[in-house]
Amino acid sequence: MEFSQKVLSLAADAERELADIFSRIDKISFENTQKIMNAFKEHRVSEAVFNPTSGYGYNDRGREILDEIWADVMGAEAAFVRHSIVNGTQALTIGLFGLLRPGDILFSIAGKPYDTLDEVIGNTGTPGNGSLRDFGVEYMQSELSDDGSFDLDRIKKVLSEEDRVKVVFIQRSKGYLNRKTLSVDAIGEVIKFIRSIRQDCYVVVDNCYGEFTETREPCAVGADMIIGSLIKNPGGGMAETGGYIAGSARAVELASYRLTSVGCGLEVGATLGQNKNLYKGLFYAPHTTAQALKTAHLAAYMFGEKGLGFDVEPRWDEPRYDIIQAVITHSPEGLCAICRGIQAGSPIDSYVVPEPWEMPGYTDKVIMAAGAFTQGSSIELSADGPLREPYTAYLQGGLTYESGKIGIMSAAQEVLNSLK
Ligand SMILES: *Cc1c(COP(=O)(O)O)cnc(C)c1O
């Protein structure tokens, strides 16, 4: 991998100017690591919790203790974390189907949820496939304003007029949207507002990509349920697959009946030797998230106004509440160049060239660069984006800052080589 003088000096400038921000990120990682180690101590984690179970998985102490630790760390009453949840979308599906009943309304107040939920909700896809809509659950939405704030007038109107709203849904991270990611403070404020109108609905947060970027998670500010994927932040790059749900005891219980079956709930589920990866992943998660955050700041600096001149969101010196860095390229060539560069600067599959493709669950063609140890893992450096205006590349991850830096420098080099 050859880097031009321009790329090398940009990276050096970036690190000089980012020093204070990097040290703030280390402090957050320290505080979260302390929280996790305290929970390990309190729950007396020993080698025995790594023992595998098979079959029904009754009395799997490793699984039960990890659930308790997860709840403590997330500031929740209860939680479950399972390697058998295939992705974030399934975890979200379990949570939503667990809480919603025919005639209920699902009300999303941070704009359109993540693309893969369109078919789950029933806003797209084939009627009869078993979406929430097929089961008589209606959907309503409120947009975020341009400055990223909630539309409080509309939220108040809907919550006062529609007493069938059972779930208020908030996506913490920007996902594939050009909007701001919500801080835990902002989520806490809006939950207070919701509670001033209604006490009887569940507030559910899609927590994907947000975990451990701050020292609190949304349960600590009143969310009834938070949901995420283990091949993002909280798996720490160690979990091979999986998802989690945390929240109030009743909400988590209801979700557990969807995870397995009504009655069985969390009493079953063989862990097949996966426990160790999940414990180790949680242990690593604050540090790994910090590596990804630093990589994202570096990308914002190198691709933004200080570097190659793209619009970036967030800017290099803005606080961030998820690990995603959006680079708005305004051209398919720009988006594809960034993805090619990230792929070439990855530890795995660095010799392949990514191409746009029709991905299951997504509406537009998507290009993805992912040279990861775990397939599709986006806590490992990856870049992707839908082939639609304004051709935004979403970068995220970096198991180590050093490898993340190499990937970002490679992407910057590819952009310089192919566009300039
Ligand atoms: C990743 C993600 C999901 C779930 O996606 P999967 O690919 O199914 O894990 C949902 N919401 C957001 C905001 C995400 O970033």
Side-chain angles (χ1 to χ4, degrees), residues 400-411:
T400 64
Y401 171 68
E402 295 81 355
S403 63
K405 177 181 170 184
I406 289 169
I408 297 303
M409 288 168 73
S410 166

Side-chain angles (χ1 to χ4, degrees), residues 186-236:
I187 292 171
E189 285 299 310
V190 82
I191 291 176
K192 247 189 253 164
F193 181 76
I194 293 164
R195 290 293 171 234
S196 74
I197 308 161
R198 286 275 299 276
Q199 292 77 46
D200 61 341
C201 54
Y202 294 103
V203 177
V204 176
V205 176
D206 175 351
N207 208 30
C208 283
Y209 284 132
E211 298 93 348
F212 305 123
T213 59
E214 300 185 67
T215 54
R216 294 184 307 173
E217 301 298 329
C219 288
V221 294
D224 298 289
M225 185 182 276
I226 63 174
I227 303 171
S229 159
L230 295 194
I231 59 169
K232 295 178 179 174
N233 312 15

